[in-house]
Amino acid sequence: MANTPSSTHAKILSAKVIVTCPGRNFVTLKIETDQGVYGLGDATLNGRELSVVSYLEDHVIPCLIGRDAHQIEDIWQYLYRGAYWRRGPVTMSAIAAVDMALWDIKGKIAGLPLYQLLGGACRTGVMVYGHANGTTIENTVEVAQSYQALGYKAIRLQCGVPGLSSTYGVSKDKMFYEPADADLPTENEWNTEAYMRVVPKLFKAAREALGDEVHLLHDVHHRLTPIEAGRLGRDLEPYRPFWMEDATPAENQESFKLIRQHTTTPLAVGEIFNTLWDCKDLISNQLIDYIRATVVHAGGITHLKRIASFADVYGVKTGCHGATDLSPVCMSAALHFDVSIPNFGIQEYMRHTELTDEVFPHNYSFKAGSLHIGEAPGLGVDIDEEKAAKYPYQRAYLPVNRLQDGTLFNW
Ligand code: EZ4
Ligand code: CO
């Protein structure tokens, strides 16, 4: 173990993983120290939750006992480089949970909210976008209007595709939406041409109904080829979208060159990225405008800060993923992070259910289109273990997408 450079020392005594399903599954790491404080970290990996539980319980926690919780960077490097097997969503979600918990502990010992340790606030609040979705253009626009009435300055628009029985990202409930929905994966059908026809019509109707000021966003959920994405981006240009998200899968970072050649619609990508290496070329070649990596899936605050600093050099802003499968622990961490970095862009905010909020009491709140983090030391979020224990894990999956001839396409 590395030497402790100062007299401040917070020995890790124990750590445990709490799995709970207050409407959806969440995996939470709790680290206890000899200083009378504990820290929390989110380790939720939607649809693959128990693999991270095992990674933490069987392989990470034994290595943490006895270490100094203050040595956040050293522990990060130890878990990342020391494992030999680097990267990947399971590994990086586990490392992220440890990292969040250690920052929580450091903040609590210092008596400061996390954002103060990260350099202090750069802004007064965190602009968020909400999700408006509906089966038709008309009811999507109606939902968007209700978000506008609530004070949202940015709204994501998704609508059903004519001729398809269901579409990912479109729910039956107007204000709550949960994509992981079944004990075995639901199979959705897909038609690229019909989708590409409807989205520009949705944006035209939304711009007319909502006015020029509100930011409008759209998530393609990796459903297009680069040239199709270039076309959709161009078709949306007259309605000035804030961004087009996950236009194409990004395993091949170069494919974004093709999209860029054809459209000035800003591009966002990265909710499934785990490390800087997944977006290094996208950022350094200025092929994207917003990087969507999150605290939980991209190695914690320590690594996300590295990604954001790198992005800042190239004028790329952050737009962190913030769906319901990211627990209030991750959302708290994200808000401290968002408020403290220079190149913050926007934060996704899908509200959690009341039941989730009861299990995870937290001190952030929504006002006038922004989220505001409170002044509690550390992350400012807790877990009610008694309530959590009432809701055992329930297997749930994200849907699978097939073209209408049955092709399981993932370009
Ligand atoms: O599909 O969080 O932008 N938000 C999204 C989400 C994701 C889920 C995956 O776990 O794309 O709805
Ligand atoms: Co998305």
Side-chain angles (χ1 to χ4, degrees):
M1 203 195 303
N3 291 331
T4 307
S6 79
S7 57
T8 27
H9 193 281
K11 190 174 172 180
I12 297 176
L13 295 179
S14 65
K16 66 175 174 182
V17 181
I18 303 160
V19 181
T20 181
C21 186
R24 69 150 1 274
N25 293 313
F26 294 109
V27 177
T28 309
L29 176 69
K30 182 171 184 175
I31 298 180
E32 309 255 8
T33 67
D34 67 354
Q35 299 299 300
V37 298
Y38 60 85
L40 297 179
D42 182 18
T44 309
L45 183 62
N46 206 3
R48 293 292 184 271
E49 293 86 356
L50 299 185
S51 53
V52 189
V53 176
S54 163
Y55 194 102
L56 283 167
E57 287 181 346
D58 298 327
H59 306 295
V60 170
I61 290 175
C63 303
L64 292 177
I65 310 304
R67 284 183 188 279
D68 180 3
H70 280 304
Q71 292 187 280
I72 298 176
E73 181 71 38
D74 183 67
I75 290 177
W76 194 95
Q77 300 293 340
Y78 174 79
L79 293 174
Y80 181 82
R81 294 178 204 273
Y84 188 75
W85 309 105
R86 297 183 186 183
R87 309 165 64 197
V90 176
T91 297
M92 298 312 291
S93 300
I95 294 177
V98 174
D99 189 76
M100 269 180 258
L102 297 183
W103 278 108
D104 194 19
I105 289 166
K106 196 185 280 293
K108 285 173 178 171
I109 291 176
L112 291 170
L114 174 62
Y115 75 84
Q116 295 290 15
L117 303 182
L118 298 176
C122 282
R123 57 191 52 78
T124 55
V126 168
M127 180 170 71
V128 296
Y129 69 91
H131 286 205
N133 58 79
T135 45
T136 64
I137 289 175
E138 292 68 33
N139 58 48
T140 305
V141 171
E142 270 170 36
V143 178
Q145 282 171 321
S146 59
Y147 273 93
Q148 212 176 15
L150 289 170
Y152 281 80
K153 295 188 166 69
I155 305 166
R156 191 186 93 164
L157 304 171
Q158 310 290 133
C159 76
V161 178
L164 302 185
S165 53
S166 63
T167 306
Y168 186 72
V170 176
S171 73
K172 294 190 180 72
D173 190 294
K174 291 276 172 268
M175 301 306 269
F176 290 98
Y177 158 55
E178 184 48 66
D181 64 353
D183 183 44
L184 285 174
T186 304
E187 303 221 354
N188 286 337
E189 52 171 2
W190 185 253
N191 180 320
T192 300
E193 293 76 19
Y195 167 74
M196 297 221 348
R197 282 194 298 269
V198 79
V199 181
K201 289 180 193 160
L202 169 65
F203 269 70
K204 183 171 193 290
R207 233 347 135 211
E208 280 164 11
L210 303 170
D212 287 335
E213 302 261 305
V214 64
H215 298 306
L216 301 178
L217 297 75
H218 182 69
D219 192 345
V220 180
H221 292 295
H222 314 103
R223 300 272 156 89
L224 299 177
T225 65
I227 197 68
E228 289 164 351
R231 174 60 186 253
L232 181 62
R234 200 164 63 184
D235 288 350
L236 292 177
E237 281 170 21
Y239 317 111
R240 304 202 167 252
F242 185 88
W243 79 28
M244 176 168 69
E245 172 186 342
D246 288 348
T248 195
E251 284 95 328
N252 177 9
Q253 297 182 36
E254 264 190 31
S255 60
F256 275 70
K257 283 186 190 163
L258 195 49
I259 310 177
R260 264 293 200 235
Q261 277 169 23
H262 294 286
T263 182
T264 56
T265 288
L267 302 174
V269 71
E271 68 183 45
I272 68 168
F273 292 173
N274 313 126
T275 68
L276 176 57
W277 304 104
D278 293 331
C279 48
K280 182 176 76 68
D281 298 344
L282 286 170
I283 292 171
S284 62
N285 293 313
Q286 295 176 290
L287 298 177
I288 57 171
D289 301 282
Y290 296 91
I291 177 69
R292 284 185 43 72
T294 55
V295 182
V296 57
H297 300 133
I301 293 150
T302 297
H303 193 66
L304 198 58
K305 203 155 165 55
R306 198 156 280 139
I307 294 175
S309 300
F310 183 74
D312 190 34
V313 174
Y314 296 96
V316 174
K317 293 183 180 180
T318 64
C320 292
H321 189 203
T324 43
D325 48 299
L326 287 71
S327 89
V329 176
C330 179
M331 184 52 83
S332 301
L335 294 174
H336 287 284
F337 173 79
D338 292 340
V339 90
S340 69
I341 57 165
N343 55 326
F344 166 76
I346 198 166
Q347 169 70 51
E348 183 180 19
Y349 176 46
M350 266 170 97
R351 290 177 316 279
H352 287 113
T353 60
E354 268 178 40
L355 206 55
T356 297
D357 288 344
E358 276 175 33
V359 172
F360 294 96
H362 53 259
N363 73 347
Y364 54 82
S365 55
F366 176 88
K367 202 179 146 201
S370 293
L371 278 174
H372 299 271
I373 190 78
E375 296 296 322
L379 290 177
V381 63
D382 211 343
I383 184 165
D384 183 328
E385 291 189 54
E386 265 176 43
K387 280 190 186 145
K390 285 193 212 157
Y391 309 107
Y393 169 76
Q394 282 184 298
R395 193 175 62 197
Y397 288 99
L398 290 166
V400 165
N401 208 38
R402 289 185 192 274
L403 295 177
Q404 284 172 312
D405 71 354
T407 306
L408 228 180
F409 95 116
N410 179 3
W411 176 79

